[in-house]
Amino acid sequence: MGFAIDGLVSGLDTANIINQLMQLEARPQTLLKNKVSSSQTMISALQQLNTKMVSIAELAAKTSTADAVGQYAATSSSEAVKVSTTAGAGPGSLDITVDQLAQTQVNVSGHLTAWSATVPALSIVTGGQTHEFATDGATLDEIVDKVNAGDIGVTAVKVSSGTDANGVQQYRLQFASAATGADAAFTVYQGTAAEVTAGTATDFLSTANGGVSIRQAQDAKVTLWAGTAAANQVTSASNTFSELLPGVSVTASTVSTDPVTVTVTRDAEATTAVTEGLVTALDDLFSYIATNSSVASSVTSGSSSAKGGLFTGDGGVRDIEQRLLSAATSPVNGKSPSEIGISITRDGTVEFDAKKFAAALAANPAGTEAVVQEISRRVADVATNVSDKRDGGLTLRIQGQESEVGRLNDQIMDWDRRLELRRSTLDAKWQGLELQLQQLQSQGSWLTAQLGNLPSMSGSEG
């Protein structure tokens, strides 16, 4: 076989001979490894396709809702009122006047050097409940900590307020409601809860006790249609009014004397962006399939050859592509999606004409939105059916490929053991041949020596 090189006994490179023989023996395993490599490449490509399909399914499901394609934008005629839209908004306008803003309650006590030892408790009434805090022997700091730890919607803080006539440091206790609105109002008493109920407790923050009201708890108030017979006042615990108009939040920041007009109109830009996003995602998926389905040709040594992509001739992937393309471009109630700017190209993908869509939306908002919703619903159905994590077509195919790779790897491991045994057999056989050859060489050398010791035939005849 042309393997001869200088060697110790036989003159042959037996290690190289065995390696070449093993390469011949390992051909079936090499084919298995090549198949595993190509299968793993296909699995990776299918997983990427499935990931894109899942994203499209989620995006299309959102786009199929009326709130996604029928979006509305709200504007205000004054910086004093901010507006935003939520689900369920519709076109309309409303005049409002901001009468007052919501605010928290803030009160401070009279000057204190320490808590009175004769007062065993401090009680706070808020939200229709009385909360009692024991103050027997407590310092002002400890009282503040107890109130804050109580988490009752009222906070306290000790504030330095100078010194008295004797130079002793004085403090005021400030109490504030955590939330705005009239319902957050509170009263602080010196006395137990029972004394509060009996009416014998002292109002700790009253002016008679040196207390000062910094700010009263109050609701925000706006008047609708002010100055007309339909005038109606609406209150809110915060400065935000959620349902003055359906799906519209109004937030006041300044009291106004003149009416502020809130206007809600269709948000054509948002609807266009949502639709374009879906078409772009579809186009990206179609492009991915096309890239992996293309056939590349090459010329080597004067002969040409062609090599297909991973998805070339793949009926399963082709079926998915056709189903999605049909979902995106088939007529809706006899109306072609191309009439609103969603059309199929000569390359078999989809494209979006924003100007054409905007014109269709302006001419027939409800009809255009209905077409987008139906297209989205169809795309979502196909993409979900294909990519479902339990029984989706792509999911099952990926699982099948992974199982096949597992079986092939088991066969490769079996071949590892078989080839290891075969190499051991060849090593032993060649070692045996070397030993036999060494013995023959030794015998030959001995015979040569014996023959050299025999008397020559000519000498004995003389």
Side-chain angles (χ1 to χ4, degrees):
M1 295 178 64
F3 299 130
I5 61 172
D6 291 336
L8 295 176
V9 179
S10 64
L12 299 175
D13 185 356
T14 57
N16 189 40
I17 292 173
I18 291 173
N19 286 336
Q20 295 192 45
L21 288 173
M22 291 305 300
Q23 289 180 6
L24 295 175
E25 295 277 356
R27 281 182 177 178
Q29 187 192 50
T30 301
L31 293 176
L32 290 174
K33 289 181 177 179
N34 291 339
K35 191 171 183 180
V36 166
S37 178
S38 62
S39 294
Q40 288 175 330
T41 301
M42 174 59 84
I43 288 171
S44 178
L46 290 174
Q47 287 174 333
Q48 291 183 58
L49 179 61
N50 196 53
T51 298
K52 291 178 180 292
M53 201 68 67
V54 170
S55 296
I56 286 178
E58 294 175 349
L59 179 60
K62 293 178 181 178
T63 309
S64 66
T65 64
D67 289 334
V69 296
Q71 297 194 50
Y72 289 85
T75 58
S76 168
S77 63
S78 171
E79 289 294 322
V81 174
K82 301 294 184 182
V83 289
S84 61
T85 58
T86 57
S93 65
L94 180 68
D95 289 339
I96 64 174
T97 301
V98 182
D99 302 320
Q100 70 178 36
L101 299 178
Q103 61 186 31
T104 59
Q105 176 180 336
V106 178
N107 289 76
V108 295
S109 70
H111 297 287
L112 299 170
T113 55
W115 185 257
S116 175
T118 62
V119 180
L122 177 145
S123 296
I124 300 177
V125 178
T126 182
Q129 294 185 320
T130 302
H131 307 273
E132 180 182 314
F133 302 94
T135 59
D136 224 354
T139 65
L140 295 178
D141 287 322
E142 289 171 340
I143 292 173
V144 166
D145 290 342
K146 287 183 178 184
V147 171
N148 293 334
D151 192 23
I152 62 171
V154 178
T155 59
V157 63
K158 186 182 76 170
V159 181
S160 176
S161 61
T163 59
D164 62 14
N166 297 320
V168 178
Q169 181 65 50
Q170 296 187 118
Y171 302 93
R172 287 181 184 268
L173 294 185
Q174 175 180 288
F175 295 84
S177 58
T180 59
D183 288 343
F186 61 86
T187 306
V188 181
Y189 292 96
Q190 285 181 310
T192 64
E195 290 174 327
V196 171
T197 302
T200 57
T202 302
D203 187 344
F204 179 53
L205 302 178
S206 67
T207 55
N209 287 327
V212 178
S213 174
I214 305 300
R215 187 167 59 242
Q216 291 296 314
Q218 68 180 29
D219 291 335
K221 293 181 181 180
V222 297
T223 299
L224 313 181
W225 313 292
T228 72
N232 181 54
Q233 193 172 67
V234 180
T235 63
S236 172
S238 71
N239 289 321
T240 297
F241 298 80
S242 299
E243 290 294 326
L244 289 184
L245 288 173
V248 178
S249 292
V250 175
T251 301
S253 59
T254 306
V255 172
S256 65
T257 55
D258 297 325
V260 176
T261 301
V262 174
T263 305
V264 184
T265 57
R266 288 183 181 275
D267 191 344
E269 290 185 3
T271 301
T272 301
V274 167
T275 307
E276 185 173 13
L278 177 63
V279 176
T280 299
L282 284 168
D283 185 62
D284 175 66
L285 184 140
F286 291 141
S287 296
Y288 178 74
I289 293 176
T291 299
N292 284 280
S293 301
S294 61
V295 178
S297 59
S298 61
V299 178
T300 305
S301 301
S303 61
S304 60
S305 61
K307 182 180 180 181
L310 289 170
F311 298 155
T312 302
D314 192 310
V317 173
R318 182 62 179 170
D319 177 66
I320 291 171
E321 181 183 31
Q322 289 300 319
R323 289 167 62 191
L324 273 178
L325 198 58
S326 176
T329 60
S330 293
V332 178
N333 296 326
K335 185 173 184 177
S336 172
S338 63
E339 295 180 40
I340 65 168
I342 302 174
S343 57
I344 186 171
T345 69
R346 285 182 294 181
D347 298 329
T349 61
V350 290
E351 64 180 4
F352 182 74
D353 187 329
K355 290 184 178 179
K356 195 171 185 179
F357 182 83
L361 190 62
N364 184 5
T368 302
E369 291 169 4
V371 172
V372 175
Q373 283 182 260
E374 178 59 19
I375 290 174
S376 300
R377 185 194 62 76
R378 295 187 312 205
V379 168
D381 287 346
V382 173
T384 300
N385 178 265
V386 168
S387 63
D388 186 84
K389 62 182 179 181
R390 292 183 179 84
D391 55 7
L394 270 178
T395 302
L396 295 177
R397 184 172 177 188
I398 291 170
Q399 291 173 350
Q401 291 272 348
E402 290 173 336
S403 296
E404 177 64 16
V405 167
R407 289 191 292 270
L408 291 174
N409 281 328
D410 289 341
Q411 294 180 41
I412 290 171
M413 292 179 65
D414 289 339
W415 268 101
D416 283 337
R417 292 187 287 269
R418 190 182 307 174
L419 292 172
E420 184 179 355
L421 179 61
R422 180 58 177 160
R423 178 177 286 276
S424 297
T425 301
L426 289 174
D427 285 339
K429 181 178 290 187
W430 282 96
Q431 289 176 10
L433 291 174
E434 287 286 332
L435 289 174
Q436 291 178 21
L437 183 58
Q438 185 180 26
Q439 292 173 356
L440 289 174
Q441 286 179 342
S442 297
Q443 292 176 1
S445 297
W446 180 81
L447 288 172
T448 299
Q450 294 301 314
L451 290 173
N453 292 330
L454 292 175
S456 65
M457 295 296 294
S458 61
S460 55
E461 290 178 342

